[in-house]
Amino acid sequence: MAIVGAGYTGLWTAYYLAKADPSLRIVVLEAHTAGFGASGRNGGWCSALFPVSSRRLASLPGSSREAAIELHRAMQATVNEVGLVTAAEGIDCDYHKGGTIVLARTPVQLTRARAEVAAAHEWGPGDLRFLEPDEVAAQVRATKVLGATFTPHCAAIHPGKLVRGLAAVVERLGVTIHEHTPVHTIEPGRAITSYGGVRADVVVRATEGFTPGLAGESRAVAPVYSLMVATEPLDAAVWERIGLADRPTFGDHRHLIIYGQRTADGRLAFGGRGAPYHFRSRIKPSYDEIPRVFKGLQATLRELFDLPEVGFTHAWGGPLGIPRDWCASVGLDRGSGLAWAGGYVGDGVSTTNLAGRTLTDLILGRDTGLVRLPWVGHRSRQWEAEPLRWLGINAGLRAMTLADTEERVTTRESRIARLMAPLLGH
C-alpha cells in the first residue's frame, strides 16, 4: 500500500490497515514532514460536523434520508473513536470532550441558530440544543449574546500533538514514512516521486488542499486559506470572567466562519476564513501570513470576550481543501487500485479518522456499514478553469464578509447572502 500524504487522512489509513493486517507492506510518502499541512495547523475541533447538511447528503445518487442520518451518527461515534485510540496508544494531544457552543449575537444569527436546531431534529438524532442567554452564560460569557446552539459531540485537541503522535504510532506498527519525498503523479500501480516510482497494489491519495499540485488534479479541490492567532496564557481571573471551564470549542453564527478553543495551557486559540484564494490554486509559504487578517482576528476575539488589552503571541495559517460541491468523499476504484479521501472544507479532524477506517474496509474488501455511507464513492465535479475559479471563489469570500456586515448593521438577513447561497455551498 502506498499512501500519498502524511496528514491525518494518510496516517489514520495507515494505522487501521496496519492494525487490521500486520503483514501488509505500507509506505507513506510526504512532501514535507508529517502533519505539515492542515493536520498540524487546524483549530483543534474534533467534531461531528460534516461539510454538507444531511438534507444534501440524502439527495446524492443512491442515498436516502436513512443513509444521511447514518453518516451523522458515524461522525458522532468518530469523535469518541479518536479519544479512545489516542488514550490506548498513549498519544497526548490534550483531548477533552467539552462539546461545541456556537453563539447567536445578532437577531439574524438568532433566527439562523433556531433554524439549525430545527433542522437537526428533523434530520438526525436531535443532539443539537438551543440555549437561552442564561444557559449560555453558564458555559461562556461573551458580549452581545442572544442565544446559542450546543452539541456535546466535539472534543478540543492540540492538532500538532495528534498528528506527530499518530506518525510515531504507525511507525511502531511497521509503517514506513518517507518525509521530504514529494509525489508529483499518481497512476494505477504507482506513485511517482522526485526520486523515482513507488509500486503498490493500492495507491491512496490523501493530499487534501495540496491535491492541485498533482498531475491532472489542478481542478479537483480549491485550496482556500484559513488563518489563526493565539493569545498569551490568561490568568485565573480572566478565565473566571470568560468561563469555558469545560473547554467547549466556540464560534458564532456569522457567514464567514470563526472558530476557537481554550487550550490546555490556558490560551485562546482563534481562527477564521477571509484570506483570498490564489490564482491557479497556488500555495506558497508567504500566503500563510496575511497581517490584515491576523489583525481582524485579534480584533474579533477582543470584542467577543471584551479583552481590549489581551496580548497575542502566535499567528499562522494554511490551506484547506474545498471541492466544487463542498461534499467530502472517500472511495476506491478497484480496477485501477486508486483510492482517495478528502474535501473536508475544514471539518477534517474527525472526518479523516472515519475516512481511514472506511478506506481500510474498502481496501480489504470488508462489507461493513461504513462502506455503504453516502459519501463513499461520491465524485464532486471539477472546479471551473481560471480565471473563472479565481473570480468566483474570491467573490464568494467577499460576499460572506459583506453579508456579515450588512446583517450586523441592518439586523436583518443579508440580501447578498441569499443571492450568493449556491456559490457559498449553502
Side-chain angles (χ1 to χ4, degrees):
M1 308 294 162
I3 299 170
V4 182
Y8 292 148
T9 299
L11 294 174
W12 281 124
T13 303
Y15 174 80
Y16 287 106
L17 281 170
K19 295 285 280 189
D21 186 352
S23 70
L24 291 174
R25 295 176 61 200
I26 305 168
V27 63
V28 181
L29 306 169
E30 167 58 43
H32 299 282
T33 57
F36 173 84
S39 297
R41 312 185 199 188
N42 64 80
W45 286 35
C46 182
S47 77
L49 292 171
F50 195 80
V52 297
S53 67
S54 295
R55 188 183 300 274
R56 285 273 302 278
L57 283 168
S59 70
L60 296 178
S63 186
S64 65
R65 174 189 175 86
E66 292 71 25
I69 293 173
E70 279 305 306
L71 179 53
H72 184 65
R73 293 185 187 277
M75 288 297 302
Q76 292 180 345
T78 297
V79 177
N80 295 329
E81 171 72 5
V82 172
L84 291 170
V85 172
T86 54
E89 299 292 354
I91 301 173
D92 180 11
C93 62
D94 302 335
Y95 179 100
H96 181 79
K97 190 179 178 185
T100 295
I101 188 163
V102 183
L103 306 171
R105 303 174 66 238
T106 69
V108 178
Q109 289 186 17
L110 185 63
T111 300
R112 197 174 293 138
R114 293 187 184 279
E116 195 170 297
V117 171
H121 282 259
E122 179 184 0
W123 281 92
D127 58 287
L128 191 69
R129 293 172 48 214
F130 180 81
L131 303 182
E132 298 292 346
D134 58 335
E135 296 176 291
V136 177
Q139 294 202 50
V140 55
R141 287 171 287 284
T143 61
K144 304 177 183 177
V145 171
L146 302 177
T149 55
F150 176 77
T151 172
H153 300 291
C154 185
I157 58 124
H158 186 303
K161 289 182 178 180
L162 174 56
V163 72
R164 297 302 297 181
L166 189 55
V169 168
V170 300
E171 287 185 314
R172 290 201 300 268
L173 292 173
V175 174
T176 300
I177 301 175
H178 288 292
E179 297 182 319
H180 306 292
T181 307
V183 172
H184 55 76
T185 304
I186 294 175
E187 57 188 34
R190 65 176 184 164
I192 303 173
T193 80
S194 300
Y195 307 106
V198 177
R199 298 188 179 277
D201 297 316
V202 174
V203 180
V204 179
R205 190 195 78 202
T207 46
E208 195 54 0
F210 293 84
T211 301
L214 296 170
E217 301 287 355
S218 63
R219 294 163 58 191
V221 299
V224 173
Y225 278 72
S226 195
L227 274 57
M228 291 195 68
V229 296
T231 69
E232 61 194 356
L234 306 181
D235 62 35
V238 175
W239 285 120
E240 179 67 24
R241 181 161 59 85
I242 293 175
L244 296 173
D246 198 34
R247 292 184 60 205
T249 57
F250 63 87
D252 72 13
H253 282 279
R254 69 185 69 196
H255 295 287
L256 198 64
I257 294 172
I258 59 170
Y259 50 92
Q261 67 153 297
R262 175 179 178 170
T263 67
D265 64 347
R267 303 171 188 267
L268 284 168
F270 187 71
R273 311 286 164 81
Y277 162 79
H278 299 279
F279 195 70
R280 291 184 179 171
S281 296
R282 286 194 295 259
I283 295 174
K284 293 182 179 180
S286 60
Y287 299 160
D288 298 345
E289 300 182 13
I290 302 177
R292 67 168 178 81
V293 177
F294 290 148
K295 185 177 180 180
L297 289 171
Q298 292 171 0
T300 299
L301 187 59
R302 286 183 172 120
E303 187 272 336
L304 183 63
F305 291 117
D306 190 21
L307 295 171
E309 304 302 325
V310 70
F312 290 83
T313 57
H314 296 75
W316 69 96
L320 53 90
I322 301 182
R324 184 60 181 85
D325 61 359
W326 289 49
C327 187
S329 64
V330 58
L332 168 66
D333 182 331
R334 294 207 171 275
S336 65
L338 297 179
W340 78 92
Y344 307 116
V345 197
D347 291 326
V349 176
S350 53
T351 317
T352 51
N353 176 279
L354 181 61
R357 287 183 287 133
T358 304
L359 283 170
T360 296
D361 287 349
L362 288 170
I363 291 168
L364 299 181
R366 296 168 165 175
D367 184 16
T368 67
L370 294 185
V371 304
R372 292 188 291 273
L373 293 175
W375 72 319
V376 177
H378 174 68
R379 296 279 193 175
S380 301
R381 70 181 178 91
Q382 298 237 309
W383 279 95
E384 290 78 3
E386 298 290 17
L388 293 178
R389 184 161 74 248
W390 181 86
L391 290 168
I393 294 173
N394 284 318
L397 291 169
R398 180 62 175 160
M400 286 189 281
T401 302
L402 292 173
D404 287 329
T405 301
E406 183 179 340
E407 290 179 357
R408 205 161 49 239
V409 171
T410 67
T411 70
R412 60 176 181 268
E413 185 181 2
S414 168
R415 296 166 295 172
I416 298 169
R418 289 197 299 271
L419 290 171
M420 298 297 291
L423 184 61
L424 303 180
H426 301 322

